[in-house]
Amino acid sequence: MRSVRTAHAVITGLGTAVRGLPGPEGLLGPLPADHRRAGDPVSRLTGRGLRYKDRATKLAMVAARDALSAAGLTDEAGGLTVPGESVGVSASTNYGNVDTVCETVRTIAESTYLATSPMMLPATSSNVVASWIAITHGLRGANLTLCNGPTSGLDAVNWARLLIASGRVERMLVVGAEPDNPAVRHVADMPDLAPDGTSGAPDLFDGAVALVVESPESAEARGVRPLAAVGAYARRGGHADAVAKVRALHTGRVGLWCVPEHPEGVCAPAPALGAAAGSVPVHDLSALHGAASGALGVLQCAAAAVWLDGRGGAGDDVVLVSAGIGDVGGDDASAALILTTPDAVVPRLAGSTR
Amino acid sequence: MSWIVTGMGAVASIGAGVREIFDSLAAGRSGLGPLRGYDRDRFRARMAYEIDDRPAPGVDVPLRATRWLEQAVAAAVADAGLGDDLSRVPVLVGTTLRELRSVELAWRDGIPFDASDLHFGTMLRRRFGAVDTHTVANACSASLYTMALGADLLDLGEADTVVVAGVDTITESTYGLLDRCYPEAPDRVRPFDRGRRGMLQGEGAAAVVLRREADGPGPGTRIHARLRGVAVNCDAYHPSAPDAKSIATVVQEAHRRSGVRPADIDLVMLHGTGTALNDEAESAALGSVFAGLAPSPYMTAIKSMTGHTAGASGLHSLVAAVDVLRTGIVPPTVYLDDPVAAVAGFRLVRGTAERPRQPLRLAQIDSFGFGGLNAVAIVERVEDPGDTAGHPEGVDL
């Protein structure tokens, strides 16, 4: 598809649910040394109905709640400050409900269908994360779940932008979530869970990150200061092609490059990944947080927003994020996305849709 | 803005192509059969609407959904004259269960499965060179949800041609959990019948090629139908129970986007799953939207013959609707012997297919899914001089 002509969307709120990570601002550095001893982020959820929610859903609910609050879309009591139909959800997860599916099929093999719990049924459908977030906060706009491989998180961010550009919604909550459990490790062909006490970075991401994306008009009308703007996106067969496409539309200097997960796990991308490499500072979130699959693109965009916001609007540097290495590593494709300072955005003349 | 459908492909238990499926529907032929893929002793329910392509009874193999999707997309793009190169065409795939059946087989039985096949982009790249591919796991309204996304891409000028598809196989985990949920095992899908016991799953895929109407059919010669509009929303109410009010809202939005009034709708392809919850919500919603219209539009529910094909079901209904508009033949809702009171005012086609006297012009396609995901499309008949297929021959009424 052709890419954007002008930015239609800005990021106005972030939330994270990652063990040991104090908040989104921590996404620019490594996890604290004692991150494994930190509390489980899902312990921040209370109330009824948690027992039958899968881990991905619970992680996503924590991150989503923080992002909505940070964007001012919920008040102190947790109520929405805008009409529910003006807010949609775009979730990304590749492995979110694999645990439910695997547990259930094993239970059936061992003890027939009678031993299953009907409460597990909703989680067999891969949209369960987006569904619970919508229910929890009353978000009645378009509700999407991307399960799209290594590029999935960036795809989810871009669909949020497109749904805003098309006028179907004014705001989208984007969430990326991946759980770490034996079923995921089996499917993803990862070694068994590391024993407690292991030091260093995790090998598999277990967490969620969320961002609120909205039209510049919506942010302005609500009096909310945007952190960053979502620019051009491209999904191509090769990484270099995807990067070249988005760079052609945003020629500003790349101040930070959030790189794809590298197959060999090295921090610096191989020269074959091409294009904008050069002397650009590289931020490898997979190396810091473990293989993040469908959550990676959303993690990258959240980190990019923190970086851009930290510059206080100074300079024209853009952030390049890319996920999936396409032809180089056997992924089906590679996606690239540019984020800019919000000042680069000229609000559309068209009025608000609601 | 309006859009045109220039290619169609489909696979289901009742046929290996669009024509074969519609012939089955028109003849009231169901794909219901004894459960083939799994060990039947593990379940109380014994029936499903499977595609009978496994190597032997009870022997399952991975990647069946991927294969059906490949077939449906290949048929649709050939129909649209696109050839096999989709390197510049976005392909949007709606699904409930992706390749999770393959995950089950890998986890429980050790049958090899590569995680890169969990999303359909891997096959679409290999087979069609497609790189702008999106697997959208939007439950049982997924393929009409992706239709909305596809129309938006065209509308925004992000693409000139889009392939929109839906696919699903049955997973053993969902089959077992549904079996656990119903008081009595369903013997068949009986939408809106007092004797309904619940939903049984079906298998299949469907794909359509969509373009802006102003651009014409492109390399193809056929215009199957005009897409007038697609509306989507979310109940934000319950993970599995639908909300009648929210369904009414999305139907009304579909009408508004399409510039039509309820009285203009000639045909409703019902979501009609045969569960009490769906049927009550859908009939209540349609009762309010079409209130005061006598007679109501013609209505039918093809899941009575295809089973619930989940993420593919919306497009299965849409493709069937296109053929209804083209042929004037409305397939019946089979096994609807004793309709519930809530549908008393609806002109449901029962028993055998009907061929209404007046031409059918506008069809509404309903599609609802877990998580309260609703998508409703409006398609319009196009008098297509390039359409040489005309009315299917040999349809047995």
Side-chain angles (χ1 to χ4, degrees):
Chain A
M1 82 187 67
R2 292 201 297 271
S3 276
V4 282
R5 295 142 298 187
T6 53
H8 290 287
V10 292
I11 295 172
T12 55
L14 307 173
T16 53
V18 180
R19 190 186 290 267
L21 189 76
E25 61 284 357
L27 287 172
L28 292 181
L31 283 168
D34 61 349
H35 66 91
R36 285 174 202 275
R37 289 192 297 278
D40 186 347
V42 305
S43 64
R44 292 174 53 205
L45 294 174
T46 53
R48 298 171 56 203
L50 291 174
R51 185 176 165 198
Y52 293 106
K53 292 189 178 78
D54 62 28
R55 180 160 178 82
T57 299
K58 287 187 276 200
L59 288 163
M61 285 172 66
V62 172
R65 187 174 63 188
D66 284 3
L68 288 170
S69 171
L73 287 179
T74 50
D75 57 26
E76 283 178 14
L80 268 187
T81 57
V82 295
E85 62 271 17
S86 73
V87 192
V89 178
S90 177
S92 170
T93 181
N94 288 313
Y95 301 122
N97 69 335
V98 161
D99 51 354
T100 300
V101 170
C102 289
E103 276 168 37
T104 304
V105 81
R106 181 164 284 173
T107 302
I108 291 169
E110 289 169 0
S111 320
T112 83
Y113 81 101
L114 282 167
T116 63
S117 163
M119 296 298 285
M120 304 282 271
L121 181 61
T124 61
S125 187
S126 302
N127 68 319
V128 64
V129 168
S131 158
W132 275 120
I133 288 172
I135 292 166
T136 303
H137 298 286
L139 311 180
R140 294 199 298 277
N143 187 290
L144 287 189
T145 297
L146 273 294
C147 301
N148 209 35
T151 66
S152 197
L154 292 186
D155 305 328
V157 172
N158 188 57
W159 281 113
R161 179 183 69 82
L162 289 169
L163 284 163
I164 291 163
S166 72
R168 285 189 188 270
V169 291
E170 285 186 271
R171 305 139 188 124
M172 291 289 288
L173 178 73
V174 186
V175 60
E178 295 288 5
D180 181 359
N181 58 54
V184 172
R185 285 178 177 267
H186 183 268
V187 177
D189 199 20
M190 295 284 287
D192 290 343
L193 275 166
D196 286 345
T198 311
S199 61
D203 61 345
L204 200 59
F205 180 68
D206 176 60
V209 59
L211 28 109
V212 168
V213 178
E214 61 188 308
S215 66
E217 295 85 355
S218 164
E220 193 176 354
R222 300 193 307 109
V224 176
R225 190 178 60 83
L227 308 170
V230 181
Y233 156 95
R235 196 179 195 271
R236 293 287 186 272
H239 183 271
D241 288 347
V243 170
K245 181 69 189 172
V246 298
R247 290 289 286 140
L249 293 156
H250 291 277
T251 49
R253 200 169 68 113
V254 175
L256 185 71
W257 180 8
C258 298
V259 298
E261 183 190 341
H262 193 278
E264 280 81 47
V266 297
C267 290
L273 292 181
S279 58
V280 172
V282 159
H283 191 40
D284 188 347
L285 284 150
S286 306
L288 299 172
H289 291 277
S293 194
L296 177 61
V298 191
L299 263 179
Q300 291 171 319
C301 289
V306 172
W307 188 86
L308 287 161
D309 186 48
R311 297 173 66 78
D316 297 329
D317 286 5
V318 302
V319 179
L320 167 68
V321 300
S322 56
I325 54 175
D327 296 335
V328 179
D331 293 340
D332 63 309
S334 177
L337 182 76
I338 296 280
L339 294 102
T340 68
T341 56
D343 305 340
V345 179
V346 181
R348 287 172 294 157
L349 292 173
S352 177
T353 55
R354 285 182 208 276
Chain B
M1 165 100 47
S2 60
W3 306 265
I4 48 175
V5 175
T6 63
M8 303 198 296
V11 187
S13 59
I14 54 171
V18 170
R19 173 74 173 270
E20 207 175 306
I21 290 171
F22 190 70
D23 286 352
S24 291
L25 292 173
R29 209 158 41 233
S30 156
L32 184 69
L35 184 66
R36 297 185 188 96
Y38 318 142
D39 176 358
R40 284 179 215 167
D41 293 341
R42 304 272 142 205
F43 306 95
R44 177 189 53 170
R46 296 294 162 91
M47 308 296 281
Y49 298 77
E50 293 165 284
I51 292 177
D52 189 10
D53 63 355
R54 292 186 178 88
V59 178
D60 207 357
V61 290
L63 297 177
R64 291 169 70 239
T66 298
R67 196 162 67 220
W68 305 327
L69 176 68
E70 181 180 341
Q71 289 167 13
V73 170
V77 300
D79 188 26
L82 290 179
D84 262 3
D85 178 9
L86 299 180
S87 58
R88 299 183 67 79
V89 178
V91 183
L92 315 180
V93 183
T95 180
T96 300
L97 300 170
R98 306 180 275 157
E99 271 295 350
L100 287 170
R101 176 56 182 159
S102 298
V103 169
E104 292 181 345
L105 292 168
W107 169 257
R108 192 194 60 194
D109 302 337
I111 296 174
F113 174 69
D114 191 320
S116 67
D117 283 316
L118 195 47
H119 67 293
F120 297 107
T122 301
M123 176 277 288
L124 293 167
R125 175 79 195 274
R126 192 175 58 240
R127 174 69 168 79
F128 303 103
V131 292
D132 198 1
T133 57
H134 299 268
T135 297
V136 179
N138 258 35
C140 296
S141 59
S143 51
L144 289 194
Y145 240 96
T146 54
M147 191 95 173
L149 300 179
D152 286 357
L153 286 184
L154 296 169
D155 209 1
L156 292 166
E158 302 254 340
D160 298 324
T161 302
V162 177
V163 175
V164 176
V167 64
D168 260 307
T169 183
I170 306 172
T171 60
E172 200 166 334
S173 49
T174 48
Y175 192 83
L177 284 165
L178 285 166
D179 202 5
R180 183 77 177 77
C181 284
Y182 298 128
E184 223 182 331
D187 56 343
R188 49 174 56 92
V189 174
R190 288 196 252 194
F192 306 101
D193 190 277
R194 287 178 206 273
R196 69 189 163 204
R197 295 189 201 159
M199 177 265 277
L200 286 169
Q201 293 161 281
E203 294 181 323
V208 301
V209 177
L210 205 60
R211 291 174 55 84
R212 283 181 293 271
E213 180 163 27
D215 295 346
T221 55
R222 308 262 308 259
I223 298 176
H224 290 287
R226 177 180 296 115
L227 175 68
R228 292 285 296 264
V230 195
V232 299
N233 75 353
C234 176
D235 296 347
Y237 163 68
H238 190 276
S240 56
D243 176 18
K245 194 161 157 262
S246 180
I247 290 173
T249 300
V250 79
V251 171
Q252 284 160 340
E253 190 191 327
H255 291 179
R256 183 180 58 72
R257 283 177 171 269
S258 305
V260 303
R261 296 161 302 153
D264 299 328
I265 302 293
D266 300 305
L267 170 75
V268 179
M269 302 296 282
L270 298 157
H271 186 60
T273 60
T275 66
L277 284 172
N278 173 81
D279 290 0
E280 283 163 14
E282 187 172 21
S283 56
L286 296 185
S288 71
V289 170
F290 293 106
L293 288 181
S296 82
Y298 285 92
M299 297 189 186
T300 194
I302 65 167
K303 291 185 182 67
S304 62
M305 289 178 269
T306 61
H308 194 342
T309 55
S313 70
L315 267 189
H316 274 145
S317 286
L318 186 141
V319 166
V322 170
D323 276 340
V324 173
L325 299 180
R326 181 155 61 194
T327 62
I329 297 165
V330 186
T333 305
V334 297
Y335 308 117
L336 175 47
D337 304 323
D338 186 10
V340 293
V343 298
F346 294 171
R347 197 155 43 161
L348 272 157
V349 177
R350 297 160 51 195
T352 55
E354 283 189 35
R355 192 192 282 268
R357 284 179 186 283
Q358 77 273 27
L360 304 171
R361 189 174 69 90
L362 279 167
Q364 167 186 324
I365 299 99
D366 287 358
S367 186
F368 317 125
F370 269 17
L373 302 188
N374 307 312
V376 172
I378 307 291
V379 295
E380 182 175 19
R381 181 182 179 191
V382 173
E383 300 293 346
D384 181 6
D387 181 1
T388 51
H391 290 209
E393 302 299 325
V395 169
D396 179 14
L397 285 179

